């Protein structure tokens, strides 16, 4: 069976994420600016770049000269390139499913993975990290109350297939997994969201 991320329309995903009772698109945009600014790196790889939310922050950040947008959905990648012509020459897209093929992943100084690990698991994420060999990792996972990972909205029915590939991430498991491949935890920062949800940002540095 094909990964459902290949079938979800970008408009449905982004419209859902930007609703006032969800407010995740806007929150992630702000978090990504701080992720890009946090470390003195020349290259960054964004796992699960989707339509490129957050890439606009890079227009004013000149030290990162090479940005890789990696995703499983070709139409998402096309949209991410079309939206930011100012990044032409700096931004490159890579189509792959890291559950199946990590060999195509590039080397980069920084890996950003926001709401991505939930769909690949800690082990596959660690394998991707070993391939990219970054100096720094910055990722965001979602901490949920009792209800579903996907907040209720007019778009919920169109996103419910994602439940088949989603698993909540235990922060301690993620930390232990990345420590086992040589990365130490250097930052934990939480951001509250509507509906009792929370984003937890976890950053790591190569030891």
């Amino acid at each position: 069976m094909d990964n459902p991320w290949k079938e979800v329309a970008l408009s449905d995903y982004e419209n859902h994420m930007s609703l006032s009772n969800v407010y995740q698109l806007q929150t992630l945009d702000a978090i990504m600016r701080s992720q890009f600014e946090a470390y003195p790196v020349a290259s960054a790889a964004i796992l699960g770049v989707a339509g490129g939310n957050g890439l606009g922050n890079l227009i004013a950040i000149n030290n990162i000269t090479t940005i890789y947008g990696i995703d499983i959905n070709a139409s998402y990648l096309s949209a991410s390139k079309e939206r930011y012509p100012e990044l032409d020459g700096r931004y490159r897209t890579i189509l792959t499913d890291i559950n199946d093929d990590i060999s195509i992943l590039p080397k980069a100084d920084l890996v950003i993975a926001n709401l991505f690990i939930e769909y690949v698991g800690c082990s596959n994420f660690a394998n991707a990290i070993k391939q990219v060999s970054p100096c720094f990792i910055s990722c965001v996972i979602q901490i949920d109350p009792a209800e579903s990972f996907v907040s209720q909205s007019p778009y919920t029915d169109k996103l419910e297939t994602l439940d088949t590939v989603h698993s909540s991430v235990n922060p301690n498991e993620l930390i232990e997994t990345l420590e086992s491949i040589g990365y130490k935890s250097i930052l934990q920062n939480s951001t509250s969201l509507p509906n009792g949800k929370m984003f937890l940002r976890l950053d790591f540095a190569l030891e």
Side-chain angles (χ1 to χ4, degrees):
M1 183 176 117
D2 254 354
N3 192 303
W5 274 113
K6 294 180 180 180
E7 307 301 326
V8 172
L10 183 61
S11 58
D12 290 336
Y13 174 65
E14 291 186 333
N15 287 337
H16 168 81
M17 293 280 282
S18 62
L19 289 170
S20 60
N21 68 314
V22 180
Y23 209 71
Q24 295 190 4
L25 208 69
Q26 303 91 325
T27 304
L28 285 173
D29 180 80
I31 290 173
M32 283 187 74
R33 182 172 188 88
S34 64
Q35 289 174 312
F36 288 135
E37 292 177 338
Y39 305 108
V41 298
S43 59
I46 305 167
L47 299 180
V49 72
N53 179 51
L55 284 178
N57 295 303
L58 282 165
I59 295 168
I61 299 174
N62 296 319
N63 61 286
I64 301 179
T65 55
T66 305
I67 310 107
Y68 299 100
I70 299 154
D71 208 277
I72 196 173
N73 188 308
S75 65
Y76 290 7
L77 292 176
S78 295
S80 71
K81 288 200 84 166
E82 291 167 6
R83 287 174 172 175
Y84 302 102
E86 302 94 335
L87 297 178
D88 187 43
R90 296 171 63 192
Y91 179 56
R92 307 172 191 176
T93 59
I94 296 173
L95 179 67
T96 192
D97 179 351
I98 75 158
N99 291 312
D100 297 328
D101 183 17
I102 59 171
S103 65
I104 195 173
L105 295 179
K107 303 299 181 185
D109 302 325
L110 168 67
V111 164
I112 292 175
N114 297 338
L115 304 189
F116 176 79
I117 304 169
E118 287 88 348
Y119 297 99
V120 300
C122 291
S123 179
N124 283 347
F125 179 62
N127 288 336
I129 291 299
K130 287 189 285 186
Q131 174 70 18
V132 179
S133 301
C135 299
F136 301 99
I137 305 163
S138 185
C139 49
V140 171
I141 61 174
Q142 183 172 303
I143 307 298
D144 301 309
E147 68 260 23
S148 166
F149 180 78
V150 178
S151 300
Q152 289 300 308
S153 83
Y155 304 96
T156 303
D157 290 348
K158 296 177 180 179
L159 303 177
E160 64 183 3
T161 57
L162 299 177
D163 285 342
T164 62
V165 289
H166 168 268
S167 296
S168 294
V169 177
N170 182 305
N172 293 328
E173 179 188 357
L174 178 59
I175 291 169
E176 290 172 5
T177 300
L178 292 179
E179 283 180 345
S180 73
I181 60 169
Y183 289 85
K184 62 180 178 180
S185 175
I186 58 172
L187 174 73
Q188 294 190 39
N189 187 40
S190 61
T191 304
S192 296
L193 298 163
N195 298 338
K197 297 177 186 290
M198 182 179 76
F199 279 161
L200 178 62
R201 175 179 164 187
L202 298 160
D203 284 17
F204 301 84
L206 186 63
E207 293 192 272

